């Protein structure tokens, strides 16, 4: 699937218009219209802003298979997770497992 097909697929899945994407991404509607109506491939910078508007990363955009949306809560969790030591990560997993059992 090419970039424009993928963008159209995400818009359709979410039921968004280009106006909504414009508001979420901070890009002008004219910029998005150029991408969608003229079927031009966006620059990496523009694509990154579009992905930010969708709440996904560039990696998620280009990943094959089902896409997982990175919510603000998950982003906060991942941002903190990467700074933990292996021992701390094990402790967090144990706590989560214990919470799941209740």
């Amino acid at each position: 699937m090419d970039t424009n097909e993928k963008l159209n697929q995400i818009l359709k899945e979410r039921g968004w218009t280009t106006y909504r994407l414009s508001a979420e991404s901070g890009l002008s509607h004219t910029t998005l219209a150029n991408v969608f109506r003229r079927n031009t491939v966006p620059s990496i910078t523009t694509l990154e802003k579009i992905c930010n508007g969708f709440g996904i990363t560039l990696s998620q955009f280009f990943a094959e298979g089902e896409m997982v949306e990175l919510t603000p809560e998950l982003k906060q969790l991942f941002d903190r997770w990467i700074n933990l030591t292996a021992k701390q990560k094990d402790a967090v997993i144990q706590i989560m497992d214990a919470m799941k059992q209740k």
Side-chain angles (χ1 to χ4, degrees):
M1 179 178 305
D2 74 12
T3 302
N4 291 58
E5 287 178 63
K6 181 81 173 203
L7 290 171
N8 279 308
Q9 176 189 354
I10 297 170
L11 275 179
K12 185 177 178 182
E13 287 172 355
R14 292 172 185 237
W16 285 17
T17 64
T18 53
Y19 288 103
R20 167 84 186 267
L21 182 55
S22 173
E24 297 290 334
S25 67
L27 292 168
S28 71
H29 186 261
T30 304
T31 298
L32 292 174
N34 286 335
V35 171
F36 289 100
R37 289 193 191 124
R38 295 182 184 166
N39 204 29
T40 59
V41 178
S43 68
I44 293 296
T45 303
T46 300
L47 185 57
E48 188 171 36
K49 289 179 182 179
I50 291 170
C51 287
N52 287 339
F54 284 137
I56 62 173
T57 64
L58 282 171
S59 297
Q60 289 171 310
F61 179 81
F62 288 110
E64 296 294 325
E66 190 172 325
M67 186 173 49
V68 176
E69 188 170 339
L70 188 61
T71 64
E73 292 86 6
L74 285 174
K75 183 174 179 351
Q76 182 181 30
L77 182 65
F78 288 135
D79 288 344
R80 291 180 179 167
W81 177 265
I82 60 173
N83 293 317
L84 297 177
T85 65
K87 187 174 179 178
Q88 290 170 326
K89 289 177 182 178
D90 287 339
V92 170
I93 290 171
Q94 288 176 8
I95 291 168
M96 292 173 76
D97 287 342
M99 293 172 79
K100 188 170 66 172
Q101 293 175 5
K102 290 185 179 187

